PDB file of all heavy atoms in Angstrom:
ATOM      1  N   LEU A  50      27.533 -33.056   4.484  1.00 70.00           N
ATOM      2  CA  LEU A  50      28.650 -32.468   3.691  1.00 70.00           C
ATOM      3  C   LEU A  50      28.159 -31.522   2.625  1.00 70.00           C
ATOM      4  O   LEU A  50      28.672 -30.407   2.447  1.00 70.00           O
ATOM      5  CB  LEU A  50      29.508 -33.595   2.999  1.00 70.00           C
ATOM      6  CG  LEU A  50      30.283 -34.468   3.939  1.00 70.00           C
ATOM      7  CD1 LEU A  50      30.913 -35.596   3.176  1.00 70.00           C
ATOM      8  CD2 LEU A  50      31.366 -33.668   4.635  1.00 70.00           C
ATOM      9  N   LEU A  51      27.063 -31.893   1.942  1.00 68.00           N
ATOM     10  CA  LEU A  51      26.500 -31.038   0.946  1.00 68.00           C
ATOM     11  C   LEU A  51      25.910 -29.774   1.559  1.00 68.00           C
ATOM     12  O   LEU A  51      26.066 -28.708   1.023  1.00 68.00           O
ATOM     13  CB  LEU A  51      25.382 -31.752   0.148  1.00 68.00           C
ATOM     14  CG  LEU A  51      25.893 -32.856  -0.815  1.00 68.00           C
ATOM     15  CD1 LEU A  51      24.690 -33.568  -1.492  1.00 68.00           C
ATOM     16  CD2 LEU A  51      26.801 -32.278  -1.941  1.00 68.00           C
ATOM     17  N   GLY A  52      25.225 -29.943   2.696  1.00 69.00           N
ATOM     18  CA  GLY A  52      24.681 -28.804   3.405  1.00 69.00           C
ATOM     19  C   GLY A  52      25.729 -27.883   3.864  1.00 69.00           C
ATOM     20  O   GLY A  52      25.612 -26.626   3.784  1.00 69.00           O
ATOM     21  N   GLY A  53      26.814 -28.427   4.370  1.00 71.00           N
ATOM     22  CA  GLY A  53      27.951 -27.559   4.819  1.00 71.00           C
ATOM     23  C   GLY A  53      28.580 -26.843   3.678  1.00 71.00           C
ATOM     24  O   GLY A  53      28.922 -25.658   3.768  1.00 71.00           O
ATOM     25  N   ALA A  54      28.734 -27.553   2.577  1.00 70.00           N
ATOM     26  CA  ALA A  54      29.305 -26.894   1.379  1.00 70.00           C
ATOM     27  C   ALA A  54      28.444 -25.774   0.860  1.00 70.00           C
ATOM     28  O   ALA A  54      28.907 -24.726   0.470  1.00 70.00           O
ATOM     29  CB  ALA A  54      29.561 -27.953   0.305  1.00 70.00           C
ATOM     30  N   ALA A  55      27.057 -26.049   0.923  1.00 73.00           N
ATOM     31  CA  ALA A  55      26.158 -24.951   0.393  1.00 73.00           C
ATOM     32  C   ALA A  55      26.148 -23.808   1.379  1.00 73.00           C
ATOM     33  O   ALA A  55      26.182 -22.635   0.923  1.00 73.00           O
ATOM     34  CB  ALA A  55      24.763 -25.574   0.335  1.00 73.00           C
ATOM     35  N   ALA A  56      26.166 -24.063   2.670  1.00 80.00           N
ATOM     36  CA  ALA A  56      26.239 -22.981   3.628  1.00 80.00           C
ATOM     37  C   ALA A  56      27.498 -22.176   3.488  1.00 80.00           C
ATOM     38  O   ALA A  56      27.498 -20.927   3.650  1.00 80.00           O
ATOM     39  CB  ALA A  56      26.138 -23.551   5.103  1.00 80.00           C
ATOM     40  N   TRP A  57      28.568 -22.828   3.138  1.00 88.00           N
ATOM     41  CA  TRP A  57      29.862 -22.129   2.904  1.00 88.00           C
ATOM     42  C   TRP A  57      29.796 -21.302   1.668  1.00 88.00           C
ATOM     43  O   TRP A  57      30.207 -20.129   1.609  1.00 88.00           O
ATOM     44  CB  TRP A  57      30.982 -23.193   2.857  1.00 88.00           C
ATOM     45  CG  TRP A  57      32.307 -22.553   2.414  1.00 88.00           C
ATOM     46  CD1 TRP A  57      33.249 -21.981   3.266  1.00 88.00           C
ATOM     47  CD2 TRP A  57      32.850 -22.489   1.108  1.00 88.00           C
ATOM     48  NE1 TRP A  57      34.347 -21.543   2.575  1.00 88.00           N
ATOM     49  CE2 TRP A  57      34.100 -21.818   1.252  1.00 88.00           C
ATOM     50  CE3 TRP A  57      32.473 -22.880  -0.116  1.00 88.00           C
ATOM     51  CZ2 TRP A  57      34.965 -21.613   0.093  1.00 88.00           C
ATOM     52  CZ3 TRP A  57      33.224 -22.709  -1.254  1.00 88.00           C
ATOM     53  CH2 TRP A  57      34.477 -22.034  -1.130  1.00 88.00           C
TER      54      TRP A  57
END
Side-chain angles (χ1 to χ4, degrees):
L50 290 174
L51 290 176
W57 173 85

